[in-house]
C-alpha cells in the first residue's frame, strides 16, 4: 500500500554504507518490536489499528448522530500539537477542496481552535459561531495546556449562554486523560461525554484514537476505512526485512544525515490536500528525533506552488537537504485540458491531456532537476488519496519514525524541550507559583 523508492539517492551514496545503515535500522526494528527500548511505555499506538474497540466507534457514531439531530453545522475542535494535527491533516486530505464554499453540505464543518493564542483568531471564530449551530470537541491529554484551555473557556461560555447548561453538556465532548487533569475534573462535574487518550499513546501518535477519530467522523469522513488502511500497514510493516518500507526509509534518511551531512528533510507534495499531512509529519519527526543535540530538521513544500518560491533555494542553495516526495499515483477526479482555436497561450500541445499528467511530469522533472542540483530524492507512494491509503500512510510514518529514531539513538517518545517556553510564558504571565521565575525573567528583558 505504501512504497518507498530510493533510486533517486543512488548517485549520492556508497552502497556498502547503505547496507550498514539497513543493518542499524533492522536492529532498531527489533528494539521497536521487542518493546524494550527507551520510551517503551508509549507504544500503545502500534496496535491501535487492529485493537480499536468497536464500542469507541459506536460511541463516536452516537455523538455524530445526536449532533445531526440537533442540526449542528459547526464543530469547533479545540487542541494543539498532537491533539490537533492528526485530525486536521485527515480532514484536509479527504475533504473536497471547496467544501466550505459549496452550497451542498453532507456534514458539519469542523474548524480548529486552541492551536494559537491569537485574540483576532478567537474573536473571529466567535463571529462565525454566532451565525451557526455549534458543538465542541475539546482535546487535551494533560488537560492543562494553556492554548486549548483559553479557547475552551471562551467557547464553553458561548455555548452555555446560547443553549443553556443542559444542552451544552450534550454539545461538548472532552477527550482527555482517564483519571487526571483539569479537563477530566470539569467534564465529570459538567456531565460531558468523555473519551480517553490512552496512557501509553503520546499526542503525536494519537490520530487513530478518539483524538483524531471523533473530529474526523464529525466531518463526515470514513474512519473505518482509515483504520482498515492503517491495519493493513500494521500487518505489512511488522515483517522484519531489508525491504520493509519503514526500514528502507529509516536507513536512508539516517545514512544521508549521519554520513553525508544532509541535516534537513523536505517532505514534498503535489496536491494541496496533502499540505497538512506534512504539518502532522513535521511534528511527528521533529518532536521524536530533535533532541540530545541531534536530529534531521523536518521541512515541507507544497508544489508546484513552492517551485516558484522555494524552488530556487532547493536547486542551488546550501546543500544541506534531501527530499522525500509524497507521490499519489492516480487522481480521483478527471479534468482534461481542452484545445483552443487561436492557441494564443500555445498550450494546444497539451490538449486532450489530463491535468494530473502535467502534474506528474512536473514532479518527475523537478525530481531529476533536484538530483542534478545535489539533492537526494526518496519517493513515498500511495495509489490514491482515499481514506484507506491515507490510514496506511499515517501508520507507515509513525512506525518508520520509531525505527528511525532508534536508529539515530534517541528516545522517540519523549519531548522534554517542549516545556521550556511554557515556563517562561507562565513566568511572564505571573502565574501563581512562578513568582521567582517572574523576577528572574524580568531581569533579562
Ligand atoms: O505530541 C505531544 O505530546 C504534544 O504535541 C501534545 O500533543 C501537545 O503539547 C498538546 O498536549 P495536550 O494534549 O496535553 O494538551
Amino acid at each position: 500500500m505504501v512504497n518507498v523508492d530510493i533510486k533517486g539517492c543512488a548517485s549520492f551514496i556508497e552502497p556498502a554504507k547503505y547496507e550498514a545503515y539497513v543493518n542499524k535500522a533492522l536492529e532498531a526494528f527489533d528494539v521497536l518490536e521487542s518493546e524494550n527500548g527507551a520510551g517503551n511505555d508509549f507504544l500503545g499506538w502500534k496496535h491501535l489499528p487492529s485493537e480499536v474497540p468497536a464500542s469507541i466507534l459506536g460511541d463516536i457514531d452516537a455523538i455524530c448522530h445526536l449532533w445531526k439531530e440537533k442540526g449542528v453545522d459547526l464543530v469547533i475542535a479545540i487542541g494543539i500539537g498532537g491533539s490537533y494535527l492528526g485530525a486536521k491533516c485527515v480532514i484536509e486530505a479527504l475533504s473536497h477542496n471547496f467544501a466550505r464554499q459549496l452550497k451542498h453540505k453532507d456534514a458539519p464543518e469542523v474548524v480548529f481552535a486552541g492551536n494559537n493564542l491569537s485574540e483576532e483568531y478567537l474573536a473571529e471564530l466567535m463571529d462565525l459561531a454566532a451565525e451557526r449551530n455549534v458543538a465542541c470537541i475539546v482535546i487535551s491529554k494533560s488537560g492543562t495546556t494553556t492554548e486549548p484551555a483559553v479557547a475552551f473557556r471562551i467557547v464553553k461560555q458561548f455555548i452555555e449562554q446560547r443553549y443553556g447548561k443542559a444542552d451544552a453538556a450534550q454539545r461538548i465532548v472532552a477527550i482527555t486523560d482517564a483519571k487526571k487533569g483539569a479537563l477530566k475534573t470539569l467534564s465529570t462535574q459538567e456531565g460531558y461525554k468523555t473519551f480517553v487518550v490512552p496512557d501509553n499513546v503520546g499526542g503525536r501518535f494519537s490520530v487513530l484514537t478518539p483524538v483524531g477519530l471523533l473530529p474526523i467522523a464529525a466531518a463526515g469522513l470514513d474512519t473505518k476505512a482509515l483504520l482498515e488502511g492503517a491495519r493493513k500497514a500494521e500487518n505489512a510493516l511488522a515483517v522484519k526485512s531489508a525491504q520493509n518500507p519503514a526500514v528502507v526509509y529509516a536507513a536512508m534518511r539516517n545514512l544521508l544525515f549521519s554520513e553525508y551531512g544532509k541535516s534537513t528533510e523536505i517532505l514534498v507534495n503535489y496536491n494541496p490536500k496533502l499540505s497538512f499531512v506534512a504539518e502532522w509529519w513535521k511534528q511527528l519527526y521533529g518532536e521524536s528525533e530533535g533532541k540530545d543535540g541531534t536530529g534531521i530538521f523536518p521541512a515541507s513544500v507544497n508544489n508546484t506552488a513552492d517551485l516558484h518560491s522555494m524552488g530556487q533555494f532547493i536547486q542551488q542553495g546550501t546543500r544541506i537537504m534531501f527530499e522525500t516526495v509524497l507521490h499519489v499515483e492516480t487522481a480521483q477526479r478527471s479534468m482534461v485540458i481542452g484545445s483552443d482555436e487561436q492557441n494564443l497561450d500555445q498550450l494546444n500541445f497539451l490538449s486532450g491531456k489530463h491535468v494530473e499528467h502535467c502534474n506528474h511530469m512536473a514532479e518527475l522533472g523537478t525530481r531529476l532537476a533536484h538530483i542534478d542540483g545535489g539533492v537526494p530524492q526518496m519517493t513515498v507512494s500511495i495509489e490514491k488519496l482515499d481514506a484507506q491509503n491515507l490510514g496506511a500512510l499515517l501508520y507507515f510514518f509513525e512506525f518508520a519514525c520509531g525505527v528511525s529514531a532508534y536508529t539515530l539513538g534517541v528516545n522517540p517518545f519523549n519531548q522534554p524541550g517542549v516545556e521550556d517556553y511554557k515556563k517562561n510564558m507562565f513566568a511572564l504571565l505571573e502565574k501563581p507559583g512562578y513568582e521567582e521565575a517572574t523576577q528572574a525573567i524580568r531581569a533579562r528583558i
Side-chain angles (χ1 to χ4, degrees), residues 80-84 139-145 148 202-205 283 287 415 418 422:
I80 195 165
S83 295
Y84 153 60
I139 309 167
S140 178
K141 186 177 181 195
S142 61
T144 55
T145 309
R204 58 189 173 275
F205 289 86
Q283 188 206 358
E287 274 193 355
Q415 53 285 328
V418 177
K422 292 183 192 168

Side-chain angles (χ1 to χ4, degrees), residues 223-236:
T223 52
K224 292 182 184 73
L226 189 78
L227 284 162
E228 177 58 22
R231 199 158 30 239
K232 286 184 180 158
E234 180 187 332
N235 292 335

Side-chain angles (χ1 to χ4, degrees), residues 288-301:
S288 300
E289 293 190 326
K291 57 195 65 158
D292 307 338
T294 189
I296 300 168
F297 183 78
S300 65
V301 291

Side-chain angles (χ1 to χ4, degrees), residues 51-222:
E51 290 175 3
V52 63
S55 61
I56 286 185
L57 299 179
D59 287 353
I60 287 174
D61 278 352
I63 287 162
C64 295
H65 186 70
L66 173 71
W67 287 350
K68 192 172 180 191
E69 280 185 344
K70 286 181 184 295
V72 167
D73 61 8
L74 183 75
V75 175
I76 302 174
I78 297 177
I80 195 165
S83 295
Y84 153 60
L85 285 163
K88 174 77 174 171
C89 96
V90 173
I91 291 172
E92 292 285 316
L94 299 182
S95 300
H96 193 290
N97 273 301
F98 302 98
R100 275 182 214 152
Q101 291 89 356
L102 283 174
K103 283 196 189 122
H104 176 75
K105 314 264 185 228
D106 288 326
E109 182 180 351
V110 177
V111 294
F112 291 87
N115 54 60
N116 61 63
L117 280 170
S118 160
E119 186 157 353
E120 278 179 13
Y121 187 92
L122 283 169
E124 290 173 10
L125 176 68
M126 290 301 100
D127 291 343
L128 176 66
E131 294 182 355
R132 308 284 282 272
N133 187 336
V134 180
C136 169
I137 305 167
V138 54
I139 309 167
S140 178
K141 186 177 181 195
S142 61
T144 55
T145 309
T146 309
E147 291 91 334
V150 167
F152 183 53
R153 191 178 268 222
I154 291 164
V155 172
K156 175 179 180 288
Q157 281 172 0
F158 169 86
I159 291 180
E160 286 178 351
Q161 275 164 16
R162 160 87 73 89
Y163 302 103
K165 276 229 164 216
D167 195 9
Q170 297 197 322
R171 290 171 180 267
I172 297 173
V173 173
I175 306 179
T176 188
D177 186 87
K179 297 185 200 81
K180 56 181 198 305
L183 186 55
K184 177 67 194 166
T185 311
L186 180 75
S187 303
T188 309
Q189 182 189 300
E190 303 284 343
Y192 300 153
K193 169 80 186 156
T194 56
F195 289 90
V196 170
V197 191
D199 281 346
N200 60 358
V201 180
R204 58 189 173 275
F205 289 86
S206 68
V207 59
L208 300 176
T209 73
V211 170
L213 296 176
L214 179 58
I216 293 165
L221 301 169
D222 190 346

